[in-house]
Amino acid sequence: MERPASVESEKAKWVYFSGSFYYVSTTKKSWHSSQYDCRWRGADLVIISSREEEEFTRMFQKRAWIGLTDRIREGSFKWVDGTALTRSCWRFGEPNQFKGRNEDCVEIQNFDSERSWNDAQCANENYWICEKNFDI
Ligand code: 2F8
Ligand code: CA
């Protein structure tokens, strides 16, 4: 895969946690461009499957895209590997399609609380977190 001009060019730093490596961006992109960047790195947007992993992703203290979206079917949130959402960490009142806007992509918004997720418009520009999983 050819490196697109828009991919971050700094030497990427990956952090290990409980079976996966994580990369947190230093620039902001839309959800789709963020996913493209992760895939280019041989990873994907992070899938959060435990309380420990949720706490870990908040430790970066960044408002960041995660690998959760309901763009295929409104209200049916799926992780980027196609699995359904079973354990959620929505902020109070979220997800809400705020004021009828199409908010199909999920961000860590309030990283100081375990109720941290918000559905937001996918075109918004955020930091993002990639995860490389080595489970076999
Ligand atoms: O009040 C919650 C609401 O806050 C923002 O809208 C004012 C969020 N939108 C953006 O951050 C772009 C909504 O997603 C959120 O529900
Ligand atoms: Ca929202």
Side-chain angles (χ1 to χ4, degrees), residues 63 93-94 96-98 101 103 107 109 118-121 124:
R63 187 169 172 168
E94 305 295 346
N96 65 354
Q97 292 270 101
F98 189 69
R101 290 177 198 140
E103 294 192 316
E107 61 178 359
Q109 189 192 55
N118 175 45
D119 61 334
Q121 289 173 286
N124 291 358

Side-chain angles (χ1 to χ4, degrees), residues 68-85:
L68 185 64
T69 173
D70 72 341
R71 70 190 192 285
I72 307 284
R73 188 154 66 88
E74 184 53 45
S76 173
F77 282 91
K78 292 270 169 50
W79 293 106
V80 287
D81 67 355
T83 54
L85 178 62

Side-chain angles (χ1 to χ4, degrees), residues 29-81:
K29 289 182 191 292
S30 69
W31 189 92
H32 290 95
S33 296
S34 300
Q35 184 182 41
Y36 189 89
D37 178 278
C38 290
R39 289 183 169 177
W40 182 83
R41 297 172 192 280
D44 208 333
L45 284 167
V46 61
I47 293 171
I48 299 174
S49 37
S50 68
R51 186 171 64 82
E52 292 73 20
E53 191 175 20
E54 190 267 329
E55 285 173 358
F56 173 77
T57 51
R58 282 193 289 115
M59 273 178 6
F60 296 108
Q61 301 269 298
K62 275 187 172 172
R63 187 169 172 168
W65 290 126
I66 61 174
L68 185 64
T69 173
D70 72 341
R71 70 190 192 285
I72 307 284
R73 188 154 66 88
E74 184 53 45
S76 173
F77 282 91
K78 292 270 169 50
W79 293 106
V80 287
D81 67 355

Side-chain angles (χ1 to χ4, degrees), residues 15-27:
V15 182
Y16 178 80
F17 176 76
S18 192
S20 292
F21 283 91
Y22 298 83
Y23 167 80
V24 183
S25 74
T26 56
T27 61

